[in-house]
C-alpha cells in the first residue's frame, strides 16, 4: 500500500536513480501498527483475508493442516525481515551480480514502530521483496518476485 492506503499493484516501476523509502512492519506488532497512518491501518487485511491469501500462495502440506502449521510457525518464529534483491537466481548469494540491494530490515513482533530504510534504484532490472528470517512453514513463499522494476 502507498502512504494514502491505496493498493499497490503487482509491481512498482521506477526510473533509475530514484530514491525509495521502504516502510515495513510485522502485522503482529501492535505498537508498530498504531504508528501507521490511519489510511494504511484501515487497509491492512483482516486475519481471515490473510489466511485466504496463504491458501492461494502456499501449497498444502503433505502432512497436517495448513492453518495449524502456520499458527505454530507464527508462535515459534514470530519475527520476520524484508530485503530487496535482484529477481531470479540465488537470493542468499545476491542474485544476478548485485545492483540495487538492501540489507534486511528487521520486523520483530515486539516492534514499537514501523521500520524504514532509504535506498536508490541504482541499476536497471527487476527486484524481489523477500523475507530473509526463517519463520517456519510457509517461509519459502514469503516473497514478491519482480515487485520493483527499475527502467
Amino acid at each position: 500500500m502507498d502512504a494514502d492506503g491505496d493498493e499497490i499493484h503487482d509491481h512498482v516501476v521506477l526510473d533509475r536513480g530514484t530514491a525509495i523509502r521502504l516502510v515495513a512492519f510485522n502485522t503482529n506488532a501492535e505498537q508498530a501498527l498504531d504508528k501507521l497512518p490511519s489510511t494504511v491501518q484501515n487497509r491492512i487485511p483482516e486475519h481471515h483475508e490473510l489466511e485466504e491469501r496463504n491458501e492461494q500462495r502456499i501449497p498444502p502440506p503433505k502432512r497436517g493442516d495448513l492453518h495449524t502449521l502456520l499458527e505454530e510457525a507464527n508462535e515459534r518464529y514470530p519475527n520476520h525481515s524484508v530485503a530487496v534483491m535482484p529477481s531470479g537466481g540465488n537470493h542468499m548469494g545476491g542474485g544476478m551480480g548485485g545492483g540495487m540491494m538492501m540489507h534486511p530490515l528487521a520486523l520483530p513482533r515486539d516492534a514499537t514502530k514501523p521500520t524504514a530504510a532509504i535506498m536508490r534504484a541504482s541499476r536497471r532490472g527487476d527486484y524481489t521483496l523477500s523475507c530473509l528470517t526463517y519463520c517456519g512453514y510457509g517461509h519459502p513463499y514469503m516473497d514478491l518476485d519482480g515487485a520493483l522494476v527499475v527502467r
Side-chain angles (χ1 to χ4, degrees):
M1 287 179 230
D2 65 14
D4 295 325
D6 293 327
E7 188 75 23
I8 294 178
H9 301 284
D10 293 342
H11 60 272
V12 175
V13 178
L14 307 162
D15 290 323
R16 191 170 168 219
T18 302
I20 304 161
R21 182 170 184 255
L22 180 66
V23 178
F25 53 91
N26 184 329
T27 58
N28 292 315
E30 296 295 329
Q31 289 184 349
L33 294 176
D34 291 342
K35 301 256 170 70
L36 294 167
S38 62
T39 53
V40 174
Q41 287 181 30
N42 295 337
R43 309 284 303 272
I44 296 172
E46 297 291 330
H47 182 72
H48 71 277
E49 293 172 290
L50 292 172
E51 284 187 351
E52 288 173 10
R53 271 194 209 168
N54 287 338
E55 288 175 356
Q56 293 171 0
R57 292 197 65 182
I58 302 171
K62 292 179 182 176
R63 294 188 185 142
D65 175 69
L66 175 64
H67 298 288
T68 302
L69 289 174
L70 292 176
E71 285 177 19
E72 289 172 359
N74 278 333
E75 287 301 314
R76 190 166 181 193
Y77 307 101
N79 301 318
H80 299 274
S81 64
V82 65
V84 176
M85 58 195 63
S87 295
N90 178 354
H91 288 181
M92 296 308 287
M96 300 179 299
M100 182 174 69
M101 186 167 172
M102 180 184 67
H103 293 288
L105 293 175
L107 304 173
R109 175 189 280 182
D110 62 357
T112 58
K113 62 183 179 179
T115 303
I118 296 175
M119 57 187 295
R120 186 161 305 280
S122 59
R123 188 177 284 173
R124 290 182 176 93
D126 295 354
Y127 295 87
T128 295
L129 296 172
S130 185
C131 179
L132 293 185
T133 302
Y134 180 75
C135 52
Y137 190 81
H139 174 74
Y141 306 96
M142 292 188 68
D143 60 15
L144 292 172
D145 195 40
L148 300 173
V149 177
V150 179
R151 57 182 176 189

